[in-house]
Structure formats: C-alpha cells, structure tokens
Amino acid sequence: MLEKIGSQNKKIISWKSWLQKYNFLPEYPDDPYAWITDVLALQAVDSGNYGVGSILIGTEGKIAAMGYNRMYSPYFRSDLHAEMVTVNHFEDENPQIDTLKGYTLYTSMESCPMCLIRLISAGINRIFHVSPDPIGGMADAIPLLPPLWQELSGPQLFTKARCSAELSNAATEIMLINAEELLEILRKRRM
C-alpha cells in the first residue's frame, strides 16, 4: 500500500518512512487496522485530499472495503469523506448484502456529523476511530442527536480503537499535513 505514495513532500515522505518501520504491538489488538487507516490517510494527502482513511472489516475478519478522503481530488465532491467512500464501494460491489450487522469500520479520524449519520443508517455494528477529532468528531455527541437517530444507533458501538498512542498521533498529524490549505479552499467556495 505504501508503494502507491510517491510525493516529494517532506512531511509525506517522513510519515511514509515512519509507517514502513512501525512495529505492531500485541497489547493493542487494533494496531494492524489502525496502521492501514493511517496508510490510507497518507494516500489521501498524497492525492490532494484531507488525510483520512477508512476500512470495513467483514464478518470473517477480512477487509471488505477500503477508501480514503476524495473530497478535493480528482475533483470537488463534498460527500466523499473516507467513511463515505468505503461504504459506497462496499454497497456498490455487494448489492445483495442487505445488512452490515457483524461488520466493523475503522477510520483514522473520528467521524464528522455527516459520516456519523451515514454509519448509523448503514447499521455497521462497531465503528472505531484511531484518533479523536475534538473539533468535528461526533462519537460522543450521539445523545445530542434527534431521538430517531439515537434509537437507530442503539445497537452500535462508536469508540476509540484499541491501538497505540503512536498510531493515534500519526492519524492526527497526517490529517493536519494539508488541512489548513484545504479548509481555506472550502472557505473560499462559500464566498
């Protein structure tokens, strides 16, 4: 996966090297999944998007779909956050599957309001974020949702992944590589 990252950006090169050298820690059962979301997040930055990656794990424990943020490139699509890309891919490829009960989604950053509602609607049982998002994350705000969404989210678990602090920090730092410049583009679109 890392071979797809070809940027000359020093921060991207540094994080690519760090991820190549990372050793999984047995005391953190979600480390392998967190690492993959971090790699996907770095691919997102390398392609000119926010650095967020996501994977969907099937009932057999294998990756069923993956994706990364594609909001800005190859062209602007406001809905193509990492979780959306991953769930879209899975649903498009598996129209015969009518429930995601038993599936687990990992995302490098805590889900925003739009993605949270999508994940509730999809019915994925467990949603783990590698890094919390104190500005836009919604996992702890489910009690503030309208009653219907609270009810629908009842059987779901939204929580932090059981991963190392290093991988959590990497998710945050990767997301921040180009976040300010992309946010400025978004602000200009609104003027």
Side-chain angles (χ1 to χ4, degrees), residues 7 9 15 23 26 28 33 39 66 71 82 95 102 105 111 131 133 143 151 154 158 162 183:
S7 177
N9 177 303
W15 279 111
N23 291 313
Y28 300 109
Y33 304 118
V39 170
M66 66 175 91
M71 189 171 156
L105 185 127
S111 297
S131 181
D133 182 350
E151 175 193 336
F158 289 86
R162 300 156 300 172
L183 184 56

Side-chain angles (χ1 to χ4, degrees), residues 180-191:
E180 275 303 313
E181 77 182 61
L182 295 175
L183 184 56
E184 192 56 36
I185 291 170
L186 195 57
R187 285 182 178 125
K188 286 179 182 177
R189 289 181 56 87
R190 299 180 52 82
M191 294 179 165

Side-chain angles (χ1 to χ4, degrees), residues 5-171:
I5 300 169
S7 177
Q8 298 306 310
N9 177 303
K10 289 180 182 177
K11 289 182 181 179
I12 294 174
I13 292 168
S14 176
W15 279 111
K16 179 179 177 181
S17 175
W18 185 87
L19 287 164
Q20 286 171 323
K21 296 174 186 170
Y22 184 79
N23 291 313
F24 299 118
L25 302 171
E27 62 268 30
Y28 300 109
D30 292 334
D31 259 13
Y33 304 118
W35 183 87
I36 293 169
T37 68
D38 284 355
V39 170
L40 290 165
L42 197 59
Q43 285 181 356
V45 173
D46 191 39
S47 69
N49 293 289
Y50 279 116
V52 182
S54 175
I55 58 174
L56 181 67
I57 306 300
T59 56
E60 312 82 35
K62 296 180 181 169
I63 296 175
M66 66 175 91
Y68 56 81
N69 187 292
R70 293 180 186 262
M71 189 171 156
Y72 291 89
S73 179
Y75 53 89
F76 187 80
R77 277 285 305 268
S78 60
D79 64 324
L80 292 184
H81 292 197
E83 300 94 315
M84 299 290 214
V85 170
T86 301
V87 175
N88 286 348
H89 178 71
F90 181 80
E91 289 177 347
D92 288 345
E93 295 295 316
N94 300 282
Q96 74 285 1
I97 297 178
D98 63 356
T99 181
L100 292 177
K101 185 177 183 182
Y103 285 73
T104 302
L105 185 127
Y106 289 87
T107 182
S108 60
M109 293 297 294
E110 183 180 357
S111 297
C112 73
M114 177 178 70
C115 292
L116 179 81
I117 295 300
R118 174 72 185 276
L119 297 172
I120 291 171
S121 297
I124 300 167
N125 280 110
R126 292 168 302 281
I127 297 88
F128 295 114
H129 56 269
V130 175
S131 181
D133 182 350
I135 297 170
M138 287 293 294
D140 292 333
I142 291 174
L144 302 176
L145 293 174
L148 174 64
W149 293 110
Q150 290 180 43
E151 175 193 336
L152 291 173
S153 71
Q156 293 173 295
L157 173 65
F158 289 86
T159 193
K160 181 153 180 347
R162 300 156 300 172
C163 65
S164 71
E166 291 83 7
L167 284 173
S168 181
N169 179 60

